[in-house]
PDB file of all heavy atoms in Angstrom:
ATOM      1  N   SER L  11     104.753 118.733  89.105  1.00 83.00           N
ATOM      2  CA  SER L  11     104.529 119.804  90.072  1.00 83.00           C
ATOM      3  C   SER L  11     103.093 120.306  89.988  1.00 83.00           C
ATOM      4  O   SER L  11     102.358 120.016  89.035  1.00 83.00           O
ATOM      5  CB  SER L  11     105.483 120.967  89.779  1.00 83.00           C
ATOM      6  OG  SER L  11     105.124 121.597  88.562  1.00 83.00           O
ATOM      7  N   ALA L  12     102.713 121.089  90.981  1.00 77.00           N
ATOM      8  CA  ALA L  12     101.391 121.711  90.969  1.00 77.00           C
ATOM      9  C   ALA L  12     101.236 122.626  89.767  1.00 77.00           C
ATOM     10  O   ALA L  12     100.180 122.698  89.157  1.00 77.00           O
ATOM     11  CB  ALA L  12     101.169 122.490  92.266  1.00 77.00           C
ATOM     12  N   GLU L  13     102.317 123.311  89.395  1.00 78.00           N
ATOM     13  CA  GLU L  13     102.242 124.201  88.240  1.00 78.00           C
ATOM     14  C   GLU L  13     101.998 123.410  86.959  1.00 78.00           C
ATOM     15  O   GLU L  13     101.166 123.786  86.141  1.00 78.00           O
ATOM     16  CB  GLU L  13     103.506 125.036  88.103  1.00 78.00           C
ATOM     17  CG  GLU L  13     103.416 126.012  86.938  1.00 78.00           C
ATOM     18  CD  GLU L  13     104.640 126.893  86.803  1.00 78.00           C
ATOM     19  OE1 GLU L  13     105.700 126.531  87.332  1.00 78.00           O
ATOM     20  OE2 GLU L  13     104.515 127.932  86.152  1.00 78.00           O
ATOM     21  N   GLN L  14     102.701 122.300  86.779  1.00 85.00           N
ATOM     22  CA  GLN L  14     102.485 121.472  85.591  1.00 85.00           C
ATOM     23  C   GLN L  14     101.060 120.939  85.575  1.00 85.00           C
ATOM     24  O   GLN L  14     100.402 120.935  84.534  1.00 85.00           O
ATOM     25  CB  GLN L  14     103.476 120.312  85.581  1.00 85.00           C
ATOM     26  CG  GLN L  14     104.901 120.735  85.324  1.00 85.00           C
ATOM     27  CD  GLN L  14     105.880 119.612  85.611  1.00 85.00           C
ATOM     28  OE1 GLN L  14     105.831 118.983  86.658  1.00 85.00           O
ATOM     29  NE2 GLN L  14     106.774 119.366  84.667  1.00 85.00           N
ATOM     30  N   LEU L  15     100.582 120.511  86.714  1.00 79.00           N
ATOM     31  CA  LEU L  15      99.225 119.984  86.818  1.00 79.00           C
ATOM     32  C   LEU L  15      98.190 121.039  86.459  1.00 79.00           C
ATOM     33  O   LEU L  15      97.187 120.752  85.809  1.00 79.00           O
ATOM     34  CB  LEU L  15      98.996 119.468  88.239  1.00 79.00           C
ATOM     35  CG  LEU L  15      97.723 118.710  88.514  1.00 79.00           C
ATOM     36  CD1 LEU L  15      97.628 117.468  87.653  1.00 79.00           C
ATOM     37  CD2 LEU L  15      97.656 118.334  89.979  1.00 79.00           C
ATOM     38  N   SER L  16      98.467 122.280  86.826  1.00 77.00           N
ATOM     39  CA  SER L  16      97.499 123.354  86.576  1.00 77.00           C
ATOM     40  C   SER L  16      97.316 123.659  85.098  1.00 77.00           C
ATOM     41  O   SER L  16      96.327 124.264  84.708  1.00 77.00           O
ATOM     42  CB  SER L  16      97.909 124.621  87.325  1.00 77.00           C
ATOM     43  OG  SER L  16      99.049 125.206  86.735  1.00 77.00           O
ATOM     44  N   HIS L  17      98.252 123.247  84.260  1.00 82.00           N
ATOM     45  CA  HIS L  17      98.177 123.546  82.826  1.00 82.00           C
ATOM     46  C   HIS L  17      97.763 122.341  81.980  1.00 82.00           C
ATOM     47  O   HIS L  17      97.749 122.429  80.756  1.00 82.00           O
ATOM     48  CB  HIS L  17      99.524 124.067  82.326  1.00 82.00           C
ATOM     49  CG  HIS L  17      99.934 125.353  82.963  1.00 82.00           C
ATOM     50  ND1 HIS L  17      99.293 126.548  82.738  1.00 82.00           N
ATOM     51  CD2 HIS L  17     100.907 125.625  83.867  1.00 82.00           C
ATOM     52  CE1 HIS L  17      99.846 127.501  83.454  1.00 82.00           C
ATOM     53  NE2 HIS L  17     100.836 126.968  84.151  1.00 82.00           N
ATOM     54  N   TYR L  72      91.059 118.304  92.808  1.00 71.00           N
ATOM     55  CA  TYR L  72      92.389 118.891  92.950  1.00 71.00           C
ATOM     56  C   TYR L  72      92.802 119.652  91.707  1.00 71.00           C
ATOM     57  O   TYR L  72      93.517 120.645  91.793  1.00 71.00           O
ATOM     58  CB  TYR L  72      93.418 117.811  93.286  1.00 71.00           C
ATOM     59  CG  TYR L  72      93.544 117.615  94.769  1.00 71.00           C
ATOM     60  CD1 TYR L  72      92.714 116.748  95.443  1.00 71.00           C
ATOM     61  CD2 TYR L  72      94.478 118.328  95.501  1.00 71.00           C
ATOM     62  CE1 TYR L  72      92.810 116.584  96.814  1.00 71.00           C
ATOM     63  CE2 TYR L  72      94.580 118.175  96.864  1.00 71.00           C
ATOM     64  CZ  TYR L  72      93.752 117.301  97.518  1.00 71.00           C
ATOM     65  OH  TYR L  72      93.837 117.153  98.869  1.00 71.00           O
ATOM     66  N   ALA L  73      92.361 119.222  90.537  1.00 70.00           N
ATOM     67  CA  ALA L  73      92.707 119.940  89.309  1.00 70.00           C
ATOM     68  C   ALA L  73      92.196 121.379  89.376  1.00 70.00           C
ATOM     69  O   ALA L  73      92.890 122.309  88.972  1.00 70.00           O
ATOM     70  CB  ALA L  73      92.132 119.228  88.092  1.00 70.00           C
ATOM     71  N   ASP L  74      90.992 121.583  89.900  1.00 73.00           N
ATOM     72  CA  ASP L  74      90.457 122.945  90.045  1.00 73.00           C
ATOM     73  C   ASP L  74      91.302 123.757  91.014  1.00 73.00           C
ATOM     74  O   ASP L  74      91.588 124.924  90.794  1.00 73.00           O
ATOM     75  CB  ASP L  74      89.007 122.908  90.533  1.00 73.00           C
ATOM     76  CG  ASP L  74      88.049 122.401  89.483  1.00 73.00           C
ATOM     77  OD1 ASP L  74      88.460 122.243  88.315  1.00 73.00           O
ATOM     78  OD2 ASP L  74      86.879 122.153  89.838  1.00 73.00           O
ATOM     79  N   TYR L  75      91.693 123.116  92.101  1.00 68.00           N
ATOM     80  CA  TYR L  75      92.526 123.794  93.095  1.00 68.00           C
ATOM     81  C   TYR L  75      93.842 124.239  92.463  1.00 68.00           C
ATOM     82  O   TYR L  75      94.252 125.381  92.595  1.00 68.00           O
ATOM     83  CB  TYR L  75      92.777 122.849  94.272  1.00 68.00           C
ATOM     84  CG  TYR L  75      93.844 123.297  95.217  1.00 68.00           C
ATOM     85  CD1 TYR L  75      93.613 124.330  96.121  1.00 68.00           C
ATOM     86  CD2 TYR L  75      95.103 122.703  95.208  1.00 68.00           C
ATOM     87  CE1 TYR L  75      94.604 124.752  96.989  1.00 68.00           C
ATOM     88  CE2 TYR L  75      96.091 123.113  96.075  1.00 68.00           C
ATOM     89  CZ  TYR L  75      95.832 124.138  96.961  1.00 68.00           C
ATOM     90  OH  TYR L  75      96.815 124.552  97.811  1.00 68.00           O
ATOM     91  N   PHE L  76      94.515 123.327  91.763  1.00 68.00           N
ATOM     92  CA  PHE L  76      95.805 123.658  91.171  1.00 68.00           C
ATOM     93  C   PHE L  76      95.681 124.709  90.082  1.00 68.00           C
ATOM     94  O   PHE L  76      96.605 125.482  89.863  1.00 68.00           O
ATOM     95  CB  PHE L  76      96.490 122.402  90.634  1.00 68.00           C
ATOM     96  CG  PHE L  76      97.017 121.507  91.713  1.00 68.00           C
ATOM     97  CD1 PHE L  76      96.611 120.190  91.793  1.00 68.00           C
ATOM     98  CD2 PHE L  76      97.908 121.977  92.657  1.00 68.00           C
ATOM     99  CE1 PHE L  76      97.090 119.359  92.792  1.00 68.00           C
ATOM    100  CE2 PHE L  76      98.392 121.162  93.657  1.00 68.00           C
ATOM    101  CZ  PHE L  76      97.987 119.840  93.723  1.00 68.00           C
ATOM    102  N   ARG L  77      94.566 124.757  89.383  1.00 68.00           N
ATOM    103  CA  ARG L  77      94.384 125.776  88.337  1.00 68.00           C
ATOM    104  C   ARG L  77      94.233 127.174  88.926  1.00 68.00           C
ATOM    105  O   ARG L  77      94.372 128.158  88.223  1.00 68.00           O
ATOM    106  CB  ARG L  77      93.161 125.437  87.497  1.00 68.00           C
ATOM    107  CG  ARG L  77      93.418 124.338  86.518  1.00 68.00           C
ATOM    108  CD  ARG L  77      92.267 124.189  85.525  1.00 68.00           C
ATOM    109  NE  ARG L  77      92.559 123.095  84.646  1.00 68.00           N
ATOM    110  CZ  ARG L  77      91.977 121.896  84.717  1.00 68.00           C
ATOM    111  NH1 ARG L  77      91.054 121.664  85.605  1.00 68.00           N
ATOM    112  NH2 ARG L  77      92.320 120.940  83.884  1.00 68.00           N
ATOM    113  N   ASN L  78      93.918 127.262  90.214  1.00 70.00           N
ATOM    114  CA  ASN L  78      93.712 128.558  90.848  1.00 70.00           C
ATOM    115  C   ASN L  78      94.862 128.982  91.753  1.00 70.00           C
ATOM    116  O   ASN L  78      94.757 129.982  92.444  1.00 70.00           O
ATOM    117  CB  ASN L  78      92.401 128.548  91.636  1.00 70.00           C
ATOM    118  CG  ASN L  78      91.211 128.514  90.709  1.00 70.00           C
ATOM    119  OD1 ASN L  78      90.980 129.458  89.962  1.00 70.00           O
ATOM    120  ND2 ASN L  78      90.488 127.421  90.714  1.00 70.00           N
ATOM    121  N   LEU L  79      95.951 128.250  91.732  1.00 64.00           N
ATOM    122  CA  LEU L  79      97.126 128.647  92.502  1.00 64.00           C
ATOM    123  C   LEU L  79      97.868 129.756  91.775  1.00 64.00           C
ATOM    124  O   LEU L  79      97.890 129.821  90.556  1.00 64.00           O
ATOM    125  CB  LEU L  79      98.083 127.469  92.671  1.00 64.00           C
ATOM    126  CG  LEU L  79      97.658 126.370  93.612  1.00 64.00           C
ATOM    127  CD1 LEU L  79      98.712 125.273  93.615  1.00 64.00           C
ATOM    128  CD2 LEU L  79      97.445 126.882  95.010  1.00 64.00           C
ATOM    129  N   GLU L  80      98.474 130.613  92.547  1.00 66.00           N
ATOM    130  CA  GLU L  80      99.307 131.656  91.970  1.00 66.00           C
ATOM    131  C   GLU L  80     100.742 131.357  92.381  1.00 66.00           C
ATOM    132  O   GLU L  80     101.034 131.160  93.559  1.00 66.00           O
ATOM    133  CB  GLU L  80      98.895 133.025  92.516  1.00 66.00           C
ATOM    134  CG  GLU L  80      99.651 134.160  91.892  1.00 66.00           C
ATOM    135  CD  GLU L  80      99.163 135.499  92.401  1.00 66.00           C
ATOM    136  OE1 GLU L  80      97.952 135.656  92.599  1.00 66.00           O
ATOM    137  OE2 GLU L  80     100.008 136.378  92.611  1.00 66.00           O
ATOM    138  N   TYR L  81     101.638 131.299  91.428  1.00 60.00           N
ATOM    139  CA  TYR L  81     103.024 130.948  91.685  1.00 60.00           C
ATOM    140  C   TYR L  81     103.877 132.210  91.676  1.00 60.00           C
ATOM    141  O   TYR L  81     103.827 132.975  90.733  1.00 60.00           O
ATOM    142  CB  TYR L  81     103.544 129.977  90.615  1.00 60.00           C
ATOM    143  CG  TYR L  81     102.717 128.729  90.542  1.00 60.00           C
ATOM    144  CD1 TYR L  81     101.652 128.636  89.665  1.00 60.00           C
ATOM    145  CD2 TYR L  81     102.988 127.670  91.381  1.00 60.00           C
ATOM    146  CE1 TYR L  81     100.883 127.493  89.608  1.00 60.00           C
ATOM    147  CE2 TYR L  81     102.217 126.528  91.347  1.00 60.00           C
ATOM    148  CZ  TYR L  81     101.174 126.449  90.449  1.00 60.00           C
ATOM    149  OH  TYR L  81     100.413 125.320  90.407  1.00 60.00           O
ATOM    150  N   ARG L  82     104.651 132.372  92.738  1.00 66.00           N
ATOM    151  CA  ARG L  82     105.528 133.532  92.819  1.00 66.00           C
ATOM    152  C   ARG L  82     106.831 133.130  93.495  1.00 66.00           C
ATOM    153  O   ARG L  82     106.829 132.338  94.431  1.00 66.00           O
ATOM    154  CB  ARG L  82     104.892 134.643  93.651  1.00 66.00           C
ATOM    155  CG  ARG L  82     103.627 135.217  93.060  1.00 66.00           C
ATOM    156  CD  ARG L  82     103.100 136.311  93.924  1.00 66.00           C
ATOM    157  NE  ARG L  82     102.483 135.692  95.099  1.00 66.00           N
ATOM    158  CZ  ARG L  82     101.821 136.343  96.018  1.00 66.00           C
ATOM    159  NH1 ARG L  82     101.702 137.627  95.953  1.00 66.00           N
ATOM    160  NH2 ARG L  82     101.284 135.721  97.028  1.00 66.00           N
TER     161      ARG L  82
END
Side-chain angles (χ1 to χ4, degrees):
S11 69
E13 182 178 20
Q14 290 168 311
L15 188 60
S16 71
H17 297 291
Y72 271 87
D74 289 350
Y75 168 75
F76 287 123
R77 283 190 182 105
N78 290 295
L79 288 178
E80 184 177 322
Y81 302 92
R82 296 181 285 186

